[in-house]
Amino acid sequence: GAVVSQHPSRVICKSGTSVKIECRSLDFQATTMFWYRQFPKKSLMLMATSNEGSKATYEQGVEKDKFLINHASLTLSTLTVTSAHPEDSSFYICSARLSDTQYFGPGTRLTVL
Amino acid sequence: AQSVAQPEDQVNVAEGNPLTVKCTYSVSGNPYLFWYVQYPNRGLQFLLKYITGDNLVKGSYGFEAEFNKSQTSFHLKKPSALVSDSALYFCAVRARNAGNNRKLIWGLGTSLAVNP
């Protein structure tokens, strides 16, 4: 139980384009999901907390107009990286909260050329 | 301020030997404590958590951790390491009264290498 999927697992895009990443809780409903960014050999950086049916809560320093989050259902949250630039290249990981525990997706490797 | 420290960037242990990955925390009130493991190019997998009750918590893959309130520690342990345990380990904490946000505070991770 408590399986979270992410799609795509890997994406390469040109600078200036937008990329959408989906995060799904497969066997449970998640009122709250989280979006993280991870740099090589570094810890996780929380970008935002996604709440179903309401606006996401962004961490300080994260541009909400650049990283659009939508949590339209209890099993799906999406992160759209708008007008992507090479510095946005990273490993993006989502998690979904079930009770007191966060369960993580497998991550999405974004490369912006 | 809430924080989590994993004092060792890397831990090396021989296969079959016991392993310990250290974690200390600072949080107001009683904590919720978690350990996660990350294999290369993958997301994090939940290992175990301490919420309340017995200070010794047993989790997946033979791992366990002991909550020590006086030392504010939550070290991860395994009696006999396997080569397949080689991965990146993260400790995380949140305050019990964190409200609806409930975001976790993360350690920087400890890379565990188990040598055959």
Side-chain angles (χ1 to χ4, degrees), chain B residues 15-67:
Chain B
E15 186 176 29
N17 283 1
L19 70 86
T20 299
V21 183
K22 296 180 180 178
C23 173
T24 59
Y25 65 90
S26 174
V27 68
S28 56
N30 293 318
Y32 288 8
L33 295 155
F34 302 84
W35 275 103
Y36 288 84
V37 60
Q38 185 180 31
Y39 297 97
N41 298 311
R42 301 295 302 275
L44 278 68
Q45 293 181 29
F46 169 70
L47 277 179
L48 52 80
K49 65 182 177 183
Y50 170 82
I51 302 296
T52 187
D54 194 351
N55 288 346
L56 182 64
V57 179
K58 293 187 184 295
S60 306
Y61 312 122
F63 283 94
E64 60 186 31
E66 185 166 12
F67 169 57

Side-chain angles (χ1 to χ4, degrees), chain A residues 40-61:
Chain A
K41 297 183 179 180
K42 291 290 186 181
S43 186
L44 302 171
M45 184 192 82
L46 178 65
M47 299 175 65
T49 302
S50 169
N51 298 296
E52 187 268 337
S54 64
K55 292 182 179 180
T57 302
Y58 289 82
E59 295 299 302
Q60 190 172 9

Side-chain angles (χ1 to χ4, degrees), chain A residues 32 34 36 38 41-44 46 49 57 59 91 93 97 99-107 109, chain B residues 9 32 34 36 38 41-46 49 51 88 90 94 100-104 106-109:
Chain A
T32 304
F34 301 86
Y36 293 85
Q38 185 178 34
K41 297 183 179 180
K42 291 290 186 181
S43 186
L44 302 171
L46 178 65
T49 302
T57 302
E59 295 299 302
F91 193 54
I93 314 176
R97 182 171 61 82
S99 185
D100 294 304
T101 303
Q102 289 186 31
Y103 294 93
F104 285 79
R109 173 73 60 191
Chain B
D9 187 53
Y32 288 8
F34 302 84
Y36 288 84
Q38 185 180 31
N41 298 311
R42 301 295 302 275
L44 278 68
Q45 293 181 29
F46 169 70
K49 65 182 177 183
I51 302 296
L88 188 57
F90 289 102
R94 77 164 177 90
N100 291 330
N101 198 347
R102 301 190 186 183
K103 63 181 182 182
L104 294 175
W106 293 88
L108 294 180

Side-chain angles (χ1 to χ4, degrees), chain A:
Chain A
V3 179
V4 177
S5 70
Q6 249 180 276
H7 179 81
S9 59
R10 185 181 296 269
V11 58
I12 301 172
C13 69
K14 293 182 179 180
S15 185
T17 61
S18 295
V19 174
K20 180 185 283 189
I21 303 170
E22 293 186 348
C23 178
R24 294 181 185 272
S25 56
L26 298 185
D27 52 1
F28 65 101
Q29 294 182 330
T31 306
T32 304
M33 293 184 175
F34 301 86
W35 287 97
Y36 293 85
R37 182 172 177 176
Q38 185 178 34
F39 297 94
K41 297 183 179 180
K42 291 290 186 181
S43 186
L44 302 171
M45 184 192 82
L46 178 65
M47 299 175 65
T49 302
S50 169
N51 298 296
E52 187 268 337
S54 64
K55 292 182 179 180
T57 302
Y58 289 82
E59 295 299 302
Q60 190 172 9
V62 178
E63 299 176 59
K64 62 180 181 181
D65 294 330
K66 180 171 183 60
F67 298 99
L68 300 179
I69 291 173
N70 183 277
H71 193 157
S73 79
L74 289 172
T75 59
L76 173 64
S77 176
T78 60
L79 168 69
T80 301
V81 183
T82 62
S83 187
H85 288 94
E87 56 266 30
D88 298 324
S89 298
S90 193
F91 193 54
Y92 292 87
I93 314 176
C94 73
S95 71
R97 182 171 61 82
L98 175 61
S99 185
D100 294 304
T101 303
Q102 289 186 31
Y103 294 93
F104 285 79
T108 297
R109 173 73 60 191
L110 171 63
T111 302
V112 185
L113 302 177

